[in-house]
């Protein structure tokens, strides 16, 4: 029998997850179906929506905005990385009524940078912009890769400080507002703010970008993001990437949680990018 999975969120119609998981299933020859389901909390609660899906035979779901915290509270067991992130993006429904909550966002980012872009974090200097939910989910997987130093900068500096204090790590960890970022080039710069959504760039000095820096925006789109454009203008030789590989990476890890098989990301990233280009043509 075909196993059923879904991504749940609100809004959800633009989600790339059904395409990504269909490509994974074809590639690894898994008998499964995956769809996007919008949950309207005017009509139901997250827990009721999950009970309904389980009743209909679903084996697991991906969870996106705005339900990652609800999923964290719903799960009866949590992986260590979900516990640190305090958010769940993947639920595995067990037959006995329990559910495992996991967070694969951080691994998705780390794998995209290490496996796809072939830049290792070990001993590198890393600048992370933002201190919200997105950054909270990726910090521990980055620290596990033993970078030399990590600086977290955020518009609200107290949030960056609070996040820093949650970690006990051999990596040199510091935090500040925009104005106190050390003005030297960092090896890896990651934008985890939601400023790109508004087409804005955090107001930071471009001295943080070096000739060989990897500049990564967790956002993605049909065109390079404003943050990538800004970085390339400051240092034309830097490498600038958007977050599509992170999206595919988190999906690949969720697929592994459900199916025990790790799909190949490279061809799926290329295919999703190609489909995005097609849909942008008027
Ligand atoms: P997410 O889950 O996307 O991380 P979030 O938890 O609301 O959402 O966090 C949004 C992040 O983007 C925060 O770091 C926020 O900064 P504040 O903590 O100061 O609010 C940052 N952010 C949002 N809009 C921004 C803007 N226009 N310029 C700079 N930073 C912005």
């Amino acid at each position: 029998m075909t196993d059923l999975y879904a991504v749940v969120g609100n809004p959800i119609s633009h989600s790339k997850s059904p395409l990504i998981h269909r490509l994974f299933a074809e590639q690894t020859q898994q008998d499964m179906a995956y769809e996007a389901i919008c949950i309207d909390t005017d009509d139901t609660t997250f827990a009721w929506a999950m009970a309904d899906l389980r009743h209909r035979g679903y084996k697991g779901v991906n969870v996106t905005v705005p339900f990652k915290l609800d999923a964290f509270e719903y799960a009866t067991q949590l992986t260590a990385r979900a516990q640190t992130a305090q958010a769940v993006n993947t639920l595995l429904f067990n037959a006995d009524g329990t559910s495992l909550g996991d967070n694969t966002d951080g691994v998705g980012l780390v794998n995209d940078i290490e496996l796809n872009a072939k830049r290792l974090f070990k001993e590198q200097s890393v600048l992370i912009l933002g201190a919200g939910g997105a950054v909270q989910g990726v910090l521990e997987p980055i620290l596990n890769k033993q970078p030399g130093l990590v600086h977290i900068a955020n518009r609200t500096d107290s949030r960056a400080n609070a996040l820093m204090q949650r970690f006990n790590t051999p990596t040199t960890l510091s935090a500040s507002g925009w104005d106190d970022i050390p003005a030297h080039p960092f090896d890896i710069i990651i934008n985890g703010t939601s400023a790109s959504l508004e087409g804005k760039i955090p107001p930071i000095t471009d001295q943080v970008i070096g000739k060989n820096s990897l500049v990564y925006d967790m956002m993605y789109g049909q065109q390079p993001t404003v943050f990538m454009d800004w970085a390339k203008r400051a240092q034309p030789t830097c490498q600038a990437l958007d977050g599509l590989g992170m999206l595919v990476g988190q999906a690949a890890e969720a697929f592994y949680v459900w199916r025990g098989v790790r799909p190949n990301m490279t061809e799926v990233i290329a295919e999703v990018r190609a489909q995005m280009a097609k849909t942008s043509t008027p």
Side-chain angles (χ1 to χ4, degrees), residues 130-134 154-156 159 178 192-195 198 200:
N154 193 43
R155 179 172 63 181
T156 313
R159 247 182 131 187
W178 298 143
T193 70
S194 46
E198 308 158 26
K200 290 189 186 148

Side-chain angles (χ1 to χ4, degrees), residues 128-142:
I128 299 180
L129 306 174
V135 169
Q136 201 164 293
V138 301
L139 207 48
E140 189 184 45
I142 290 174

Side-chain angles (χ1 to χ4, degrees), residues 2 10 15 53 64 165 218-219 251 254 279:
T2 304
N10 190 348
S15 173
L53 290 179
T64 187
Q165 271 151 20
M218 288 198 205
M219 298 285 157
T279 49

